[in-house]
Amino acid sequence: MPVVTRLVTHVELDAARTTDRQLSVTARLEAELSDGRALVLLDDRGWSESGPADLRAFLTRASVEADARTVVGPDEPFGDQTPEQAAAAHWGALADRLAHQGVPADAAGLAALPHAVELDERLRAWAGFED
């Protein structure tokens, strides 16, 4: 039975909404499995940020990667929820998605996995990040 070996967030440039003053991207979180497959966990995430005339001068690969990890969760707590409860709910929901796809996983195990961020070629080129 395959197991999840790591999480990967794929970040892609939204060229239609990106200008010199604004960056818009989409983010897709996948679980990579020991058998080589990747299962989509979240595909409805992304963000935009704006700034001075050349926003690229203020971006770093590390800042984009940190933002990517943030937007795929866990989210901030809401209502009377504690940060721990919000995190547990997030990881539990992802474990449930994997279970529905036939891959056993537990929330704590998912939270402890390595989490890579891969920036698409168009984003790297736009931002001037070297490969």
Side-chain angles (χ1 to χ4, degrees):
M1 168 120 350
V3 297
V4 181
T5 58
R6 74 177 186 152
L7 302 173
V8 180
T9 297
H10 299 273
V11 182
E12 298 178 1
L13 182 72
D14 181 349
R17 295 183 178 173
T18 296
T19 67
D20 284 345
R21 297 181 72 105
Q22 178 172 304
L23 169 64
S24 289
V25 298
T26 60
R28 181 182 70 255
L29 177 64
E30 295 182 349
E32 286 191 356
L33 306 181
S34 57
D35 65 3
R37 292 182 296 148
L39 300 178
V40 175
L41 298 175
L42 299 170
D43 65 356
D44 60 349
R45 304 296 170 100
W47 75 94
S48 294
E49 59 185 280
S50 58
D54 191 2
L55 178 62
R56 290 173 274 222
F58 299 93
L59 291 176
T60 66
R61 182 184 291 262
S63 70
V64 173
E65 290 174 355
D67 289 343
R69 288 184 183 96
T70 298
V71 300
V72 296
D75 292 330
E76 293 291 322
F78 62 93
D80 292 334
Q81 196 177 40
T82 67
E84 294 78 16
Q85 291 168 327
H90 171 76
W91 296 113
L94 295 181
D96 288 347
R97 288 180 189 216
L98 285 164
H100 282 88
Q101 297 181 66
V103 177
D106 66 85
L110 289 176
L113 286 173
H115 184 170
V117 176
E118 295 183 2
L119 309 179
D120 82 330
E121 183 178 327
R122 293 181 313 150
L123 173 56
R124 291 191 317 270
W126 180 87
F129 298 153
E130 297 180 17
D131 288 334

